[in-house]
Amino acid sequence: MSQRLVKVGLVQSAVGPDKAQNLAKTVRLVEDAAARGARIVCLQELFASEYFCQREDAELFDLAEPLSGPTTEAMAAVAKARGVSIVVPLFERRAAGVYHNSLVVVSPKGDIAGHYRKMHIPDDPLFYEKYYFTPGDLGFMTIPTPEAAVGPLICWDQWYPEAARMTAMSGAEMLVYPTAIGWHPKEKAEYGASQLSAWQTMQRAHAIANGVFVVAVNRVGHEGPADGGLDFWGHSFVADPFGVVLAEAGEGEETLVVECDLGRIEEVRRNWPFFRDRRIDAYGGVTSRFLDRTGR
Amino acid sequence: MSQRLVKVGLVQSAVGPDKAQNLAKTVRLVEDAAARGARIVCLQELFASEYFCQREDAELFDLAEPLSGPTTEAMAAVAKARGVSIVVPLFERRAAGVYHNSLVVVSPKGDIAGHYRKMHIPDDPLFYEKYYFTPGDLGFMTIPTPEAAVGPLICWDQWYPEAARMTAMSGAEMLVYPTAIGWHPKEKAEYGASQLSAWQTMQRAHAIANGVFVVAVNRVGHEGPADGGLDFWGHSFVADPFGVVLAEAGEGEETLVVECDLGRIEEVRRNWPFFRDRRIDAYGGVTSRFLDRTGR
């Protein structure tokens, strides 16, 4: 099998209250990644702002912007200047009262190559996303870039095998998961390690089940009140199509540039031919809410 | 959340050429597990025979037996004598020319509580299962036992998130995977660790995605020619509903007896409510063979 090498950049950073500063800082980090050879750069979920979903406040919808707003414009400019593709998460204002947790992929020409709206919306203490985000209506997809077919997904999507499966089946070679996940400081000692392990295990399994690369990019730092808030756990990583972790960041700011051989996809799928044997005649129940045939 | 404790037994053993001896040995191992407190005992895939699928030979269909044949009878007797439930894999002769890789669950009364036929059939060098086994036609299910709702699946099924999902959605509290997986001795040094890791990662992910226990039971020992064959890797394990490995065997014969608190299922699902947010309106593509919308 022939090699097809591409370097992917993962920008894991801490975020402050000033959106313009966050944007300017991220532009510099993308430039760094490009200088280190990255051809596709992935940013973390809602990278331009602090994770505002820690509280429900109608004023915070002011953070939303149109698809071709300042965030996309700034990233399109650096994409064009450096000749790279960038996965750009943003808080999308679609219409009054209709807001999405979205991403665009900007091309090396500075165009929007594709647009995805987060399909699975969480709602948990300090992650009040159902208040802000209308569930996505664009479905699962693959977005072409010059170097790789990118399968866009966002954070909570990462817990759903159906999302990974359909994205891979649409032709993606690389699932990208911009993320904002962290510990509740009070839970960290007891549950921190198992939560981080579950998060990584789930995504490595998507790589294995589908024979694709997985790129997860998470933020770092504490946000919110000193006696509460969230500790974003970082640990951005890349897994190969057999779930092997090629590179993993720590819990501080860090930009990974990771070489991926897309030729591995066909090699792995030949040796572990899971797609061949799917029982599509028997999977109809997946579209049910629950099957309610418990024996108990 | 209230505790609901049950001890599960996993019988990981080496298998010889004599079927009657294998059966008698396994009866003793089940008795041992029951004596140690196991209420549900899981056997490895096709435990009564060597893994005959290493070659294609029509004579080997002689190993198949009716659902209520000697294997089921022997295990029903020990189930009744010891008051336990047993997950009993067998090579099922359904009709001339129709054979399945199956399991039954025998109840503490000695009855057949349920019957599952392996849905996903592999075919790889030394795993020539498509020659022997007609794909299952009973779908995914839950089988009741006095202590837990058991979700039966077999070996290659473990690579399919759809199978785990539908089984959990049918009410299973515990996915059981009787297995026969091993290394090609020549590949072991280079790929052994990553293959074992992928196998465990995939199944831990089923536990996480679905908030269920996972019980995987694999055989051990070398079978086949000394200069080839398969080294079955053991490593039977139990994962809790957040993917934490509660116990794991080594690569030799070993019977695990593992206490599971089924109350953990509701606790984990309340804190990580993945079922709540499934996008059943958008999962129809899962029943397609491939989606062919690649951007490349």
Side-chain angles (χ1 to χ4, degrees), chain B residues 113-155:
Chain B
H115 171 211
Y116 171 75
R117 292 178 174 137
K118 186 174 182 174
M119 291 288 283
H120 300 91
I121 309 296
D123 199 283
D124 294 301
L126 302 193
F127 293 88
Y128 301 112
E129 294 200 19
K130 287 193 193 296
Y131 175 75
Y132 290 103
F133 307 126
T134 302
D137 60 343
L138 298 175
F140 306 105
M141 66 183 70
T142 290
I143 298 174
T145 74
E147 285 85 8
V150 169
L153 293 158
I154 300 175
C155 202

mmCIF file of all heavy atoms in Angstrom, chain B residues 113-155:
data_model
loop_
_atom_site.group_PDB
_atom_site.id
_atom_site.type_symbol
_atom_site.label_atom_id
_atom_site.label_comp_id
_atom_site.label_asym_id
_atom_site.label_seq_id
_atom_site.Cartn_x
_atom_site.Cartn_y
_atom_site.Cartn_z
ATOM 1 N N ALA B 113 -33.044 -20.629 28.479
ATOM 2 C CA ALA B 113 -33.679 -19.319 28.690
ATOM 3 C C ALA B 113 -33.637 -18.467 27.431
ATOM 4 O O ALA B 113 -34.427 -17.519 27.292
ATOM 5 C CB ALA B 113 -32.986 -18.578 29.833
ATOM 6 N N GLY B 114 -32.730 -18.770 26.534
ATOM 7 C CA GLY B 114 -32.620 -17.976 25.315
ATOM 8 C C GLY B 114 -31.579 -18.550 24.383
ATOM 9 O O GLY B 114 -30.745 -19.379 24.795
ATOM 10 N N HIS B 115 -31.618 -18.118 23.141
ATOM 11 C CA HIS B 115 -30.793 -18.693 22.082
ATOM 12 C C HIS B 115 -30.407 -17.569 21.135
ATOM 13 O O HIS B 115 -31.257 -16.832 20.651
ATOM 14 C CB HIS B 115 -31.637 -19.764 21.368
ATOM 15 C CG HIS B 115 -31.042 -20.317 20.114
ATOM 16 N ND1 HIS B 115 -31.812 -20.750 19.063
ATOM 17 C CD2 HIS B 115 -29.743 -20.508 19.744
ATOM 18 C CE1 HIS B 115 -31.014 -21.194 18.095
ATOM 19 N NE2 HIS B 115 -29.779 -21.050 18.477
ATOM 20 N N TYR B 116 -29.110 -17.448 20.872
ATOM 21 C CA TYR B 116 -28.594 -16.399 19.989
ATOM 22 C C TYR B 116 -27.710 -17.041 18.930
ATOM 23 O O TYR B 116 -26.962 -17.981 19.219
ATOM 24 C CB TYR B 116 -27.768 -15.384 20.804
ATOM 25 C CG TYR B 116 -27.025 -14.396 19.935
ATOM 26 C CD1 TYR B 116 -27.706 -13.348 19.313
ATOM 27 C CD2 TYR B 116 -25.654 -14.524 19.699
ATOM 28 C CE1 TYR B 116 -27.030 -12.452 18.483
ATOM 29 C CE2 TYR B 116 -24.976 -13.624 18.881
ATOM 30 C CZ TYR B 116 -25.675 -12.606 18.268
ATOM 31 O OH TYR B 116 -25.021 -11.727 17.442
ATOM 32 N N ARG B 117 -27.821 -16.529 17.716
ATOM 33 C CA ARG B 117 -26.956 -16.999 16.625
ATOM 34 C C ARG B 117 -26.068 -15.849 16.167
ATOM 35 O O ARG B 117 -26.567 -14.791 15.783
ATOM 36 C CB ARG B 117 -27.799 -17.493 15.446
ATOM 37 C CG ARG B 117 -28.579 -18.750 15.755
ATOM 38 C CD ARG B 117 -29.448 -19.176 14.575
ATOM 39 N NE ARG B 117 -30.070 -20.463 14.848
ATOM 40 C CZ ARG B 117 -31.341 -20.754 14.587
ATOM 41 N NH1 ARG B 117 -32.143 -19.835 14.040
ATOM 42 N NH2 ARG B 117 -31.824 -21.953 14.861
ATOM 43 N N LYS B 118 -24.774 -16.087 16.164
ATOM 44 C CA LYS B 118 -23.785 -15.057 15.803
ATOM 45 C C LYS B 118 -24.194 -14.340 14.518
ATOM 46 O O LYS B 118 -24.415 -14.986 13.480
ATOM 47 C CB LYS B 118 -22.421 -15.742 15.640
ATOM 48 C CG LYS B 118 -21.236 -14.815 15.397
ATOM 49 C CD LYS B 118 -19.938 -15.662 15.419
ATOM 50 C CE LYS B 118 -18.690 -14.822 15.240
ATOM 51 N NZ LYS B 118 -17.452 -15.641 15.419
ATOM 52 N N MET B 119 -24.270 -13.038 14.598
ATOM 53 C CA MET B 119 -24.763 -12.247 13.468
ATOM 54 C C MET B 119 -23.657 -11.889 12.475
ATOM 55 O O MET B 119 -23.894 -11.863 11.271
ATOM 56 C CB MET B 119 -25.410 -10.966 14.004
ATOM 57 C CG MET B 119 -26.725 -11.212 14.754
ATOM 58 S SD MET B 119 -28.098 -11.676 13.650
ATOM 59 C CE MET B 119 -28.512 -10.066 12.942
ATOM 60 N N HIS B 120 -22.481 -11.544 12.980
ATOM 61 C CA HIS B 120 -21.379 -11.113 12.108
ATOM 62 C C HIS B 120 -20.379 -12.253 11.978
ATOM 63 O O HIS B 120 -19.812 -12.687 12.980
ATOM 64 C CB HIS B 120 -20.688 -9.882 12.682
ATOM 65 C CG HIS B 120 -21.598 -8.697 12.836
ATOM 66 N ND1 HIS B 120 -22.300 -8.451 13.995
ATOM 67 C CD2 HIS B 120 -21.938 -7.713 11.965
ATOM 68 C CE1 HIS B 120 -23.031 -7.358 13.824
ATOM 69 N NE2 HIS B 120 -22.836 -6.885 12.613
ATOM 70 N N ILE B 121 -20.160 -12.716 10.768
ATOM 71 C CA ILE B 121 -19.303 -13.882 10.534
ATOM 72 C C ILE B 121 -18.018 -13.415 9.855
ATOM 73 O O ILE B 121 -18.050 -12.855 8.761
ATOM 74 C CB ILE B 121 -20.031 -14.913 9.634
ATOM 75 C CG1 ILE B 121 -21.437 -15.226 10.187
ATOM 76 C CG2 ILE B 121 -19.188 -16.173 9.512
ATOM 77 C CD1 ILE B 121 -21.473 -15.892 11.541
ATOM 78 N N PRO B 122 -16.876 -13.664 10.488
ATOM 79 C CA PRO B 122 -15.604 -13.241 9.891
ATOM 80 C C PRO B 122 -15.121 -14.220 8.833
ATOM 81 O O PRO B 122 -15.642 -15.331 8.689
ATOM 82 C CB PRO B 122 -14.661 -13.244 11.093
ATOM 83 C CG PRO B 122 -15.184 -14.351 11.945
ATOM 84 C CD PRO B 122 -16.686 -14.327 11.784
ATOM 85 N N ASP B 123 -14.124 -13.815 8.133
ATOM 86 C CA ASP B 123 -13.391 -14.716 7.254
ATOM 87 C C ASP B 123 -12.036 -14.099 6.970
ATOM 88 O O ASP B 123 -11.933 -13.096 6.251
ATOM 89 C CB ASP B 123 -14.143 -14.980 5.942
ATOM 90 C CG ASP B 123 -13.624 -16.239 5.270
ATOM 91 O OD1 ASP B 123 -12.526 -16.165 4.657
ATOM 92 O OD2 ASP B 123 -14.268 -17.284 5.382
ATOM 93 N N ASP B 124 -11.039 -14.665 7.574
ATOM 94 C CA ASP B 124 -9.669 -14.199 7.448
ATOM 95 C C ASP B 124 -8.786 -15.433 7.477
ATOM 96 O O ASP B 124 -9.231 -16.495 7.900
ATOM 97 C CB ASP B 124 -9.296 -13.317 8.662
ATOM 98 C CG ASP B 124 -10.091 -12.040 8.702
ATOM 99 O OD1 ASP B 124 -10.010 -11.264 7.745
ATOM 100 O OD2 ASP B 124 -10.813 -11.822 9.700
ATOM 101 N N PRO B 125 -7.542 -15.289 7.071
ATOM 102 C CA PRO B 125 -6.646 -16.450 7.121
ATOM 103 C C PRO B 125 -6.658 -17.117 8.501
ATOM 104 O O PRO B 125 -6.446 -16.460 9.523
ATOM 105 C CB PRO B 125 -5.272 -15.816 6.802
ATOM 106 C CG PRO B 125 -5.619 -14.647 5.910
ATOM 107 C CD PRO B 125 -6.911 -14.123 6.453
ATOM 108 N N LEU B 126 -6.979 -18.395 8.517
ATOM 109 C CA LEU B 126 -7.101 -19.247 9.714
ATOM 110 C C LEU B 126 -8.378 -18.987 10.533
ATOM 111 O O LEU B 126 -8.575 -19.628 11.566
ATOM 112 C CB LEU B 126 -5.870 -19.171 10.622
ATOM 113 C CG LEU B 126 -4.526 -19.549 9.988
ATOM 114 C CD1 LEU B 126 -3.462 -19.740 11.071
ATOM 115 C CD2 LEU B 126 -4.633 -20.787 9.124
ATOM 116 N N PHE B 127 -9.183 -18.094 10.069
ATOM 117 C CA PHE B 127 -10.506 -17.887 10.690
ATOM 118 C C PHE B 127 -11.572 -18.016 9.585
ATOM 119 O O PHE B 127 -12.251 -17.049 9.251
ATOM 120 C CB PHE B 127 -10.595 -16.496 11.337
ATOM 121 C CG PHE B 127 -9.698 -16.278 12.524
ATOM 122 C CD1 PHE B 127 -8.394 -15.829 12.361
ATOM 123 C CD2 PHE B 127 -10.162 -16.509 13.820
ATOM 124 C CE1 PHE B 127 -7.568 -15.598 13.473
ATOM 125 C CE2 PHE B 127 -9.339 -16.284 14.923
ATOM 126 C CZ PHE B 127 -8.038 -15.834 14.745
ATOM 127 N N TYR B 128 -11.699 -19.211 9.019
ATOM 128 C CA TYR B 128 -12.551 -19.396 7.840
ATOM 129 C C TYR B 128 -13.998 -19.648 8.251
ATOM 130 O O TYR B 128 -14.582 -20.681 7.938
ATOM 131 C CB TYR B 128 -12.008 -20.532 6.975
ATOM 132 C CG TYR B 128 -10.591 -20.278 6.505
ATOM 133 C CD1 TYR B 128 -9.529 -21.042 6.958
ATOM 134 C CD2 TYR B 128 -10.317 -19.238 5.608
ATOM 135 C CE1 TYR B 128 -8.219 -20.793 6.536
ATOM 136 C CE2 TYR B 128 -9.015 -18.980 5.183
ATOM 137 C CZ TYR B 128 -7.977 -19.763 5.654
ATOM 138 O OH TYR B 128 -6.689 -19.501 5.242
ATOM 139 N N GLU B 129 -14.582 -18.719 8.944
ATOM 140 C CA GLU B 129 -15.906 -18.960 9.525
ATOM 141 C C GLU B 129 -17.034 -18.870 8.505
ATOM 142 O O GLU B 129 -18.083 -19.482 8.698
ATOM 143 C CB GLU B 129 -16.150 -18.002 10.692
ATOM 144 C CG GLU B 129 -15.212 -18.252 11.862
ATOM 145 C CD GLU B 129 -15.704 -17.675 13.184
ATOM 146 O OE1 GLU B 129 -16.913 -17.384 13.306
ATOM 147 O OE2 GLU B 129 -14.867 -17.529 14.094
ATOM 148 N N LYS B 130 -16.827 -18.127 7.433
ATOM 149 C CA LYS B 130 -17.921 -18.016 6.452
ATOM 150 C C LYS B 130 -18.201 -19.373 5.791
ATOM 151 O O LYS B 130 -19.289 -19.601 5.268
ATOM 152 C CB LYS B 130 -17.597 -16.957 5.392
ATOM 153 C CG LYS B 130 -17.702 -15.517 5.916
ATOM 154 C CD LYS B 130 -17.697 -14.514 4.766
ATOM 155 C CE LYS B 130 -17.488 -13.089 5.242
ATOM 156 N NZ LYS B 130 -18.556 -12.568 6.100
ATOM 157 N N TYR B 131 -17.238 -20.259 5.809
ATOM 158 C CA TYR B 131 -17.436 -21.600 5.276
ATOM 159 C C TYR B 131 -18.378 -22.415 6.172
ATOM 160 O O TYR B 131 -19.207 -23.185 5.684
ATOM 161 C CB TYR B 131 -16.085 -22.292 5.165
ATOM 162 C CG TYR B 131 -16.142 -23.745 4.740
ATOM 163 C CD1 TYR B 131 -16.407 -24.107 3.421
ATOM 164 C CD2 TYR B 131 -15.916 -24.762 5.665
ATOM 165 C CE1 TYR B 131 -16.446 -25.443 3.034
ATOM 166 C CE2 TYR B 131 -15.948 -26.102 5.290
ATOM 167 C CZ TYR B 131 -16.222 -26.437 3.971
ATOM 168 O OH TYR B 131 -16.257 -27.753 3.609
ATOM 169 N N TYR B 132 -18.259 -22.224 7.454
ATOM 170 C CA TYR B 132 -18.991 -23.081 8.397
ATOM 171 C C TYR B 132 -20.338 -22.508 8.852
ATOM 172 O O TYR B 132 -21.280 -23.264 9.088
ATOM 173 C CB TYR B 132 -18.137 -23.352 9.642
ATOM 174 C CG TYR B 132 -16.948 -24.246 9.366
ATOM 175 C CD1 TYR B 132 -15.669 -23.719 9.263
ATOM 176 C CD2 TYR B 132 -17.119 -25.615 9.176
ATOM 177 C CE1 TYR B 132 -14.578 -24.538 8.987
ATOM 178 C CE2 TYR B 132 -16.033 -26.441 8.904
ATOM 179 C CZ TYR B 132 -14.772 -25.898 8.808
ATOM 180 O OH TYR B 132 -13.710 -26.710 8.520
ATOM 181 N N PHE B 133 -20.401 -21.198 9.013
ATOM 182 C CA PHE B 133 -21.525 -20.640 9.771
ATOM 183 C C PHE B 133 -22.437 -19.770 8.915
ATOM 184 O O PHE B 133 -22.009 -18.762 8.346
ATOM 185 C CB PHE B 133 -21.028 -19.805 10.957
ATOM 186 C CG PHE B 133 -20.063 -20.533 11.841
ATOM 187 C CD1 PHE B 133 -18.822 -19.988 12.144
ATOM 188 C CD2 PHE B 133 -20.384 -21.784 12.370
ATOM 189 C CE1 PHE B 133 -17.917 -20.658 12.952
ATOM 190 C CE2 PHE B 133 -19.486 -22.466 13.180
ATOM 191 C CZ PHE B 133 -18.241 -21.900 13.478
ATOM 192 N N THR B 134 -23.688 -20.149 8.848
ATOM 193 C CA THR B 134 -24.714 -19.289 8.263
ATOM 194 C C THR B 134 -24.919 -18.099 9.205
ATOM 195 O O THR B 134 -25.023 -18.294 10.421
ATOM 196 C CB THR B 134 -26.027 -20.084 8.121
ATOM 197 O OG1 THR B 134 -25.774 -21.236 7.306
ATOM 198 C CG2 THR B 134 -27.123 -19.234 7.497
ATOM 199 N N PRO B 135 -24.969 -16.883 8.646
ATOM 200 C CA PRO B 135 -25.177 -15.729 9.542
ATOM 201 C C PRO B 135 -26.481 -15.857 10.335
ATOM 202 O O PRO B 135 -27.486 -16.373 9.827
ATOM 203 C CB PRO B 135 -25.241 -14.548 8.564
ATOM 204 C CG PRO B 135 -24.451 -15.005 7.366
ATOM 205 C CD PRO B 135 -24.738 -16.481 7.251
ATOM 206 N N GLY B 136 -26.453 -15.389 11.555
ATOM 207 C CA GLY B 136 -27.610 -15.502 12.438
ATOM 208 C C GLY B 136 -28.831 -14.792 11.896
ATOM 209 O O GLY B 136 -28.717 -13.791 11.185
ATOM 210 N N ASP B 137 -29.992 -15.332 12.254
ATOM 211 C CA ASP B 137 -31.252 -14.752 11.784
ATOM 212 C C ASP B 137 -32.198 -14.456 12.952
ATOM 213 O O ASP B 137 -33.387 -14.248 12.749
ATOM 214 C CB ASP B 137 -31.934 -15.679 10.781
ATOM 215 C CG ASP B 137 -32.248 -17.042 11.378
ATOM 216 O OD1 ASP B 137 -31.669 -17.387 12.428
ATOM 217 O OD2 ASP B 137 -33.069 -17.772 10.801
ATOM 218 N N LEU B 138 -31.647 -14.417 14.149
ATOM 219 C CA LEU B 138 -32.502 -14.137 15.316
ATOM 220 C C LEU B 138 -32.355 -12.692 15.788
ATOM 221 O O LEU B 138 -33.049 -12.274 16.719
ATOM 222 C CB LEU B 138 -32.154 -15.097 16.467
ATOM 223 C CG LEU B 138 -32.381 -16.582 16.157
ATOM 224 C CD1 LEU B 138 -31.899 -17.453 17.320
ATOM 225 C CD2 LEU B 138 -33.856 -16.863 15.869
ATOM 226 N N GLY B 139 -31.463 -11.948 15.168
ATOM 227 C CA GLY B 139 -31.287 -10.546 15.543
ATOM 228 C C GLY B 139 -30.602 -10.390 16.887
ATOM 229 O O GLY B 139 -30.020 -11.334 17.423
ATOM 230 N N PHE B 140 -30.673 -9.161 17.409
ATOM 231 C CA PHE B 140 -30.054 -8.813 18.686
ATOM 232 C C PHE B 140 -31.118 -8.873 19.770
ATOM 233 O O PHE B 140 -32.288 -8.577 19.526
ATOM 234 C CB PHE B 140 -29.422 -7.425 18.581
ATOM 235 C CG PHE B 140 -28.469 -7.338 17.424
ATOM 236 C CD1 PHE B 140 -28.818 -6.660 16.264
ATOM 237 C CD2 PHE B 140 -27.242 -7.994 17.474
ATOM 238 C CE1 PHE B 140 -27.946 -6.614 15.177
ATOM 239 C CE2 PHE B 140 -26.371 -7.955 16.389
ATOM 240 C CZ PHE B 140 -26.731 -7.258 15.245
ATOM 241 N N MET B 141 -30.722 -9.255 20.958
ATOM 242 C CA MET B 141 -31.734 -9.585 21.975
ATOM 243 C C MET B 141 -31.171 -9.481 23.383
ATOM 244 O O MET B 141 -29.968 -9.371 23.581
ATOM 245 C CB MET B 141 -32.184 -11.033 21.763
ATOM 246 C CG MET B 141 -31.077 -12.031 22.040
ATOM 247 S SD MET B 141 -31.522 -13.771 21.725
ATOM 248 C CE MET B 141 -31.638 -13.806 19.937
ATOM 249 N N THR B 142 -32.075 -9.576 24.318
ATOM 250 C CA THR B 142 -31.714 -9.707 25.723
ATOM 251 C C THR B 142 -32.338 -10.988 26.250
ATOM 252 O O THR B 142 -33.487 -11.294 25.928
ATOM 253 C CB THR B 142 -32.223 -8.493 26.519
ATOM 254 O OG1 THR B 142 -31.462 -7.361 26.132
ATOM 255 C CG2 THR B 142 -32.075 -8.702 28.013
ATOM 256 N N ILE B 143 -31.576 -11.716 27.031
ATOM 257 C CA ILE B 143 -32.056 -12.975 27.605
ATOM 258 C C ILE B 143 -32.140 -12.808 29.121
ATOM 259 O O ILE B 143 -31.145 -12.447 29.759
ATOM 260 C CB ILE B 143 -31.105 -14.142 27.238
ATOM 261 C CG1 ILE B 143 -31.071 -14.322 25.711
ATOM 262 C CG2 ILE B 143 -31.531 -15.434 27.940
ATOM 263 C CD1 ILE B 143 -30.064 -15.355 25.215
ATOM 264 N N PRO B 144 -33.309 -13.059 29.703
ATOM 265 C CA PRO B 144 -33.432 -12.867 31.152
ATOM 266 C C PRO B 144 -32.764 -14.004 31.933
ATOM 267 O O PRO B 144 -32.810 -15.161 31.519
ATOM 268 C CB PRO B 144 -34.944 -12.900 31.369
ATOM 269 C CG PRO B 144 -35.488 -13.737 30.256
ATOM 270 C CD PRO B 144 -34.566 -13.520 29.078
ATOM 271 N N THR B 145 -32.127 -13.633 33.021
ATOM 272 C CA THR B 145 -31.692 -14.621 34.012
ATOM 273 C C THR B 145 -32.170 -14.088 35.361
ATOM 274 O O THR B 145 -32.541 -12.918 35.460
ATOM 275 C CB THR B 145 -30.160 -14.802 34.044
ATOM 276 O OG1 THR B 145 -29.569 -13.666 34.681
ATOM 277 C CG2 THR B 145 -29.571 -14.987 32.658
ATOM 278 N N PRO B 146 -32.164 -14.891 36.395
ATOM 279 C CA PRO B 146 -32.664 -14.384 37.685
ATOM 280 C C PRO B 146 -31.893 -13.159 38.178
ATOM 281 O O PRO B 146 -32.469 -12.301 38.845
ATOM 282 C CB PRO B 146 -32.480 -15.581 38.624
ATOM 283 C CG PRO B 146 -32.553 -16.772 37.727
ATOM 284 C CD PRO B 146 -31.892 -16.343 36.446
ATOM 285 N N GLU B 147 -30.619 -13.071 37.855
ATOM 286 C CA GLU B 147 -29.807 -11.985 38.429
ATOM 287 C C GLU B 147 -29.590 -10.799 37.518
ATOM 288 O O GLU B 147 -29.317 -9.701 37.992
ATOM 289 C CB GLU B 147 -28.430 -12.511 38.869
ATOM 290 C CG GLU B 147 -28.453 -13.324 40.150
ATOM 291 C CD GLU B 147 -28.786 -14.785 39.916
ATOM 292 O OE1 GLU B 147 -28.852 -15.191 38.730
ATOM 293 O OE2 GLU B 147 -28.999 -15.509 40.902
ATOM 294 N N ALA B 148 -29.641 -10.993 36.198
ATOM 295 C CA ALA B 148 -29.315 -9.904 35.274
ATOM 296 C C ALA B 148 -29.906 -10.193 33.908
ATOM 297 O O ALA B 148 -30.105 -11.353 33.529
ATOM 298 C CB ALA B 148 -27.799 -9.741 35.155
ATOM 299 N N ALA B 149 -30.176 -9.114 33.181
ATOM 300 C CA ALA B 149 -30.596 -9.239 31.781
ATOM 301 C C ALA B 149 -29.324 -9.345 30.935
ATOM 302 O O ALA B 149 -28.518 -8.414 30.892
ATOM 303 C CB ALA B 149 -31.418 -8.019 31.378
ATOM 304 N N VAL B 150 -29.153 -10.481 30.276
ATOM 305 C CA VAL B 150 -27.911 -10.784 29.568
ATOM 306 C C VAL B 150 -28.074 -10.484 28.079
ATOM 307 O O VAL B 150 -29.034 -10.939 27.445
ATOM 308 C CB VAL B 150 -27.526 -12.267 29.785
ATOM 309 C CG1 VAL B 150 -26.398 -12.685 28.853
ATOM 310 C CG2 VAL B 150 -27.132 -12.492 31.243
ATOM 311 N N GLY B 151 -27.136 -9.741 27.505
ATOM 312 C CA GLY B 151 -27.132 -9.442 26.069
ATOM 313 C C GLY B 151 -26.103 -10.301 25.363
ATOM 314 O O GLY B 151 -24.908 -10.036 25.447
ATOM 315 N N PRO B 152 -26.553 -11.341 24.653
ATOM 316 C CA PRO B 152 -25.611 -12.291 24.062
ATOM 317 C C PRO B 152 -25.074 -11.812 22.722
ATOM 318 O O PRO B 152 -25.830 -11.404 21.836
ATOM 319 C CB PRO B 152 -26.489 -13.530 23.857
ATOM 320 C CG PRO B 152 -27.852 -12.967 23.557
ATOM 321 C CD PRO B 152 -27.952 -11.696 24.379
ATOM 322 N N LEU B 153 -23.772 -11.888 22.560
ATOM 323 C CA LEU B 153 -23.098 -11.584 21.300
ATOM 324 C C LEU B 153 -21.910 -12.527 21.222
ATOM 325 O O LEU B 153 -21.512 -13.103 22.244
ATOM 326 C CB LEU B 153 -22.649 -10.117 21.275
ATOM 327 C CG LEU B 153 -23.818 -9.109 21.234
ATOM 328 C CD1 LEU B 153 -23.410 -7.744 21.743
ATOM 329 C CD2 LEU B 153 -24.379 -9.003 19.815
ATOM 330 N N ILE B 154 -21.327 -12.712 20.055
ATOM 331 C CA ILE B 154 -20.232 -13.672 19.916
ATOM 332 C C ILE B 154 -19.102 -13.063 19.092
ATOM 333 O O ILE B 154 -19.302 -12.611 17.967
ATOM 334 C CB ILE B 154 -20.727 -14.986 19.267
ATOM 335 C CG1 ILE B 154 -21.829 -15.652 20.128
ATOM 336 C CG2 ILE B 154 -19.564 -15.954 19.058
ATOM 337 C CD1 ILE B 154 -22.462 -16.903 19.515
ATOM 338 N N CYS B 155 -17.920 -13.055 19.658
ATOM 339 C CA CYS B 155 -16.642 -12.753 19.017
ATOM 340 C C CYS B 155 -16.693 -11.625 17.978
ATOM 341 O O CYS B 155 -16.753 -10.466 18.353
ATOM 342 C CB CYS B 155 -16.050 -14.039 18.431
ATOM 343 S SG CYS B 155 -14.242 -13.928 18.203
#
